[in-house]
Amino acid sequence: MLLTSYLPPPLLRHRLKTRTTVIHQLDKALAKLGIGQLTAQEVKSACYLRGLNSTHIGEDRCRTWLGEWLQISCSLKETELSLLLHNVVLLSTNYLGTRR
């Protein structure tokens, strides 16, 4: 997300909110389009943008993970977008497919 602790807190907060809103809008558009319409590379890129290191994960598992992410993201209201930031930890870090 190109965020660094060297930024002043107001600017950091603004960037974080802006990027979270953009991801949420992308999620809504992707849900309308459907994950099945994406190529394998697009699925991996979408997962990476949302915090999942999909280097060693198969395409099917990436699609499953992305579907879970979209299900949560699309059910959120604008006032609840901070949960998307928690999803990076809750869904990505703890995802069994990322462990070696």
Side-chain angles (χ1 to χ4, degrees):
M1 293 186 132
L2 299 174
L3 301 171
T4 176
S5 60
Y6 298 112
L7 293 173
L11 181 59
L12 187 62
R13 191 171 20 262
H14 174 73
R15 278 192 180 181
L16 196 57
K17 184 176 180 181
T18 301
R19 285 181 173 79
T20 305
T21 302
V22 167
I23 289 174
H24 187 243
Q25 291 170 347
L26 287 171
D27 288 346
K28 287 180 179 180
L30 186 56
K32 282 184 181 181
L33 175 68
I35 300 171
Q37 299 294 319
L38 300 178
T39 65
Q41 184 58 41
E42 289 170 335
V43 170
K44 292 214 177 230
S45 294
C47 288
Y48 182 79
L49 177 67
R50 289 155 182 84
L52 180 68
N53 181 2
S54 59
T55 307
H56 303 291
I57 301 174
E59 180 186 347
D60 291 339
R61 294 191 78 173
C62 285
R63 287 184 190 275
T64 301
W65 183 89
L66 188 57
E68 292 171 3
W69 175 281
L70 290 177
Q71 196 172 25
I72 293 170
S73 176
C74 291
S75 68
L76 297 176
K77 299 174 187 158
E78 292 290 324
T79 57
E80 303 168 332
L81 289 184
S82 66
L83 184 58
L84 281 182
L85 302 174
H86 291 89
N87 270 352
V88 173
V89 175
L90 297 173
L91 290 179
S92 303
T93 305
N94 296 321
Y95 189 62
L96 294 176
T98 59
R99 296 184 186 158
R100 290 201 106 195

